[in-house]
Amino acid sequence: MADDPKTLVSTEWLAQHLKDPDLRILDASLYMPDMKRDAKAEYNAKHIPGARFFDIDDVSDGRSDLPHMAPPVEKFMSRMRAMGVGDGHQVVVYDGAGIYSAARVWWLFRLMGQMNIAVLDGGLPKWEAEGREIEDMPPVIRDRHMTVRFQNHLVRDVTQVSQASKLGSIQIVDARAAGRFRGEAPEPREGLRAGHIPGSRSVPFTTLLNVDATMKTPDQTRTIFEAAGVDLDKPIITSCGSGVTACVLALALERMGHDQWSLYDGSWVEWGMFPTVPVATGDA
């Protein structure tokens, strides 16, 4: 794959740049309760040298009842200063699943106007499988100011998504598993209706990944989107369960050169609990 410090970099690229003074590495692992994994404990036990732990649930909007919604600008800036991540840094973010929650942090940095961030292709599993260096030492942190320029066009709320669903002017693409999209599989969170946003298309995020959790080529991902009935000449809103794996779709779109995308931050955990918005079942 072609390394791109603004979207996706290989383990080889990271190994070559590991000692760069302005490189900052983030472990953004996040797991669903049924995975029975403790992301912070795993980070403390082993991580890529110099990595800081990025707690997605902490760096979020604590005023919202929805999980890990995008935080206010001030909170994001404060948390990044405390982590020693700021202007002039090249950031590489990874997770313990391969490509899963790391894409969420890539999107969050983009939302805050930070472009120099890439997801590590294949994440920690690929890094370890190649026998590369890991450590359990906490990094040395030095404060660094970050300038934030909030990018409103990269996030959508339930009202905007509802309008897009009704008018069909913007496509909605769902990253959840096909069974959840069709309404055949139960939602992992209680109290949510089953199905999908009317008019949306199904592109499970796992279909964009290889068996080693690296991302397929832009040509391959383009074929997958088109096979799902997605018109890549039109704007796209990505959605999922709680705004995490939808970011994998956004990352794939960005790599393909499709820059007219945005994220439905509330995703199904919001839409599925609203009794006033319609739900469709079956295939798209």
Side-chain angles (χ1 to χ4, degrees), residues 36 46 69 97 112 123 146 163 166 208 213-214 240 273 281:
K36 308 293 185 187
K46 62 180 180 182
M69 294 287 281
M112 300 296 173
M146 177 180 285
Q163 184 180 39
K166 291 175 184 175
L208 304 178
T214 55
C240 60
M273 74 175 182
T281 55

Side-chain angles (χ1 to χ4, degrees), residues 6 16 18 21 44 70 86 96 133 147 166 168 196 200 205 223 250 276:
K6 289 179 169 50
Q16 292 170 5
L18 201 58
N44 289 335
E133 183 183 359
T147 303
K166 291 175 184 175
H196 59 265
S200 59
F205 84 97
T223 298
T276 55

